[in-house]
């Protein structure tokens, strides 16, 4: 309809010009100088401190349906940031994506009250579609998820995880385990008989480094020595075995550049934590 009216107006103006008649009073012949400027694009921005029934790397406004965190849910949005300097949602593994991931990691650690690697936790980013970003939606969500086991799949959770790692005795925090090589890692109380203990995480410079067995064994032994409170030496291999979280290329590209390390005492067992216990907690076994 608007195009038809414009065409008629132009034809009428041509006739007026031919007949020598002028425009009516108050009409300047310019059809656009009275139009208000269009507002700048303003995209939808989700909210933090909300929970969701599923995790997705791409967030669509049409499927944005937060749930009460007091109900069973899969993810918790701990932070929503914006970055107007980017022209499109960054791809996983790029410098721009890793920049957002670093911000998310800081926010997640602040939220849970410690390094998220110290718990059965994982975090990921949710970004808008490319079209939504072009339309002004320059946000990114930092999503926190609980894991079923140390090496397990994502699982649902009831209640917020805010301050979870600062709570004494939190079931989310990693501690002592019963472990058999190639089998499941079963959490047990450190006061009960166990043969493995989480000792902290180490930074890996590359995906290749995370999969270099020799380097990982040494790095985890160094982490164990610091955890126990003893000087590292090459005889650590006679004091304790080690195992660590497997790292995938997808995880590394997504911003997870730390690997969890565990001391493995087998065939010995313990009935208390080795943290700060000194070298006596890990006697040498040459045979």
């Amino acid at each position: 309809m608007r195009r038809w009216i414009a065409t008629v107006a132009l034809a009428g103006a041509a006739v007026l010009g031919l007949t020598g008649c002028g425009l009516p009073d108050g009409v300047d012949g310019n059809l656009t100088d009275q139009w208000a400027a269009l507002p700048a694009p303003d995209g939808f921005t989700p909210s933090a401190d909300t929970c969701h029934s599923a995790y997705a790397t791409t967030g669509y406004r049409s499927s944005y349906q937060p749930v009460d965190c007091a109900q069973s849910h899969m993810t918790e949005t701990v932070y929503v940031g914006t970055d107007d300097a980017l022209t499109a949602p960054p791809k996983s593994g790029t410098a721009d994506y890793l920049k957002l991931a670093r911000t998310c990691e800081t926010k997640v650690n602040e939220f849970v009250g410690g390094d998220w690697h110290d718990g059965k936790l994982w975090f990921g980013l949710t970004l808008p579609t490319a079209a939504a970003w072009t339309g002004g939606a320059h946000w990114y969500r930092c999503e926190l998820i609980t894991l079923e086991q140390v090496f397990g799949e994502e699982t649902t959770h009831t209640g917020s995880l805010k301050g979870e790692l600062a709570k004494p005795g939190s079931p989310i925090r990693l501690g002592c385990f019963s472990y058999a090589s190639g089998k499941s890692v079963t959490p047990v109380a450190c006061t009960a008989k166990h043969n493995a203990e989480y000792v902290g995480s180490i930074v890996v410079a590359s995906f290749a480094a995370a999969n270099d067995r020799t380097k990982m064994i040494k790095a985890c032994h160094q982490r164990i020595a610091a955890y126990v409170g003893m000087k590292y030496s090459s005889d650590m291999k006679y004091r304790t075995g080690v195992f660590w979280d497997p790292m995938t290329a997808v995880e590394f590209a997504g911003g997870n550049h730390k690997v969890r390390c565990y001391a493995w005492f087998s065939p010995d067992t313990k009935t208390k934590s080795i943290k700060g216990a000194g070298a006596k907690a890990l006697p040498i076994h040459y045979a």
Side-chain angles (χ1 to χ4, degrees):
M1 179 66 74
R2 182 168 294 175
R3 176 176 292 179
W4 178 78
I5 293 174
T7 302
V8 170
L10 289 171
V15 172
L16 289 172
L18 290 173
T19 58
C21 297
L23 294 169
D25 291 342
V27 177
D28 61 7
N30 190 328
L31 299 177
T32 62
D33 64 353
Q34 301 301 316
W35 293 0
L38 293 174
D42 183 18
F44 160 75
T45 301
S47 300
D49 299 320
T50 57
C51 291
H52 305 271
S53 58
Y55 172 71
T57 55
T58 302
Y60 297 88
R61 183 171 185 176
S62 59
S63 60
Y64 184 71
Q65 297 179 331
V67 299
D68 189 337
C69 291
Q71 301 176 5
S72 177
H73 58 271
M74 181 65 74
T75 78
E76 183 170 3
T77 306
V78 303
Y79 179 74
V80 177
T82 58
D83 195 327
D84 294 328
L86 300 178
T87 58
K91 301 295 184 182
S92 180
T94 64
D96 288 334
Y97 188 95
L98 293 177
K99 176 185 174 183
L100 302 187
R102 291 284 75 79
T103 298
C104 276
E105 185 164 55
T106 299
K107 296 298 182 180
V108 166
N109 289 344
E110 291 174 354
F111 187 84
V112 298
D115 186 341
W116 66 271
H117 294 89
D118 294 343
K120 293 186 291 183
L121 299 170
W122 180 86
F123 84 89
L125 275 67
T126 296
L127 296 164
T129 63
W133 196 283
T134 300
H138 297 167
W139 54 263
Y140 58 97
R141 282 165 37 195
C142 307
E143 297 295 307
L144 183 61
I145 300 171
T146 56
L147 302 177
E148 186 178 13
Q149 296 181 19
V150 178
F151 305 130
E153 297 295 324
E154 299 89 345
T155 187
T156 56
H157 184 75
T158 301
S160 175
L161 290 165
K162 188 175 181 65
E164 184 66 35
L165 294 184
K167 298 177 182 177
S170 168
I172 299 296
R173 176 177 283 279
L174 300 177
C176 297
F177 302 88
S178 175
Y179 172 66
S181 181
K183 298 182 180 180
S184 62
V185 183
T186 304
V188 297
C190 288
T191 52
K193 185 181 292 187
H194 60 274
N195 67 354
E197 184 170 350
Y198 170 71
V199 298
S201 57
I202 58 172
V203 176
V204 288
S206 65
F207 173 61
N211 287 274
D212 186 316
R213 181 177 174 80
T214 301
K215 289 181 179 179
M216 285 302 304
I217 290 174
K218 181 178 180 179
C220 281
H221 272 144
Q222 290 173 330
R223 180 63 239 164
I224 293 170
Y227 183 81
V228 173
M230 61 179 288
K231 184 178 180 180
Y232 168 79
S233 67
S234 59
D235 69 6
M236 283 297 294
K237 63 186 177 183
Y238 300 113
R239 293 178 180 272
T240 180
V242 298
F243 62 93
W244 57 90
D245 280 4
M247 172 71 74
T248 67
V250 172
E251 284 181 297
F252 191 86
N256 183 15
H257 295 174
K258 295 179 80 173
V259 174
R260 297 179 177 102
C261 289
Y262 305 81
W264 184 24
F265 319 125
S266 185
D268 289 355
T269 57
K270 310 286 184 184
T271 53
K272 61 181 179 180
S273 173
I274 62 171
K275 185 174 183 179
K280 65 181 185 294
L282 297 173
I284 292 177
H285 297 282
Y286 286 119

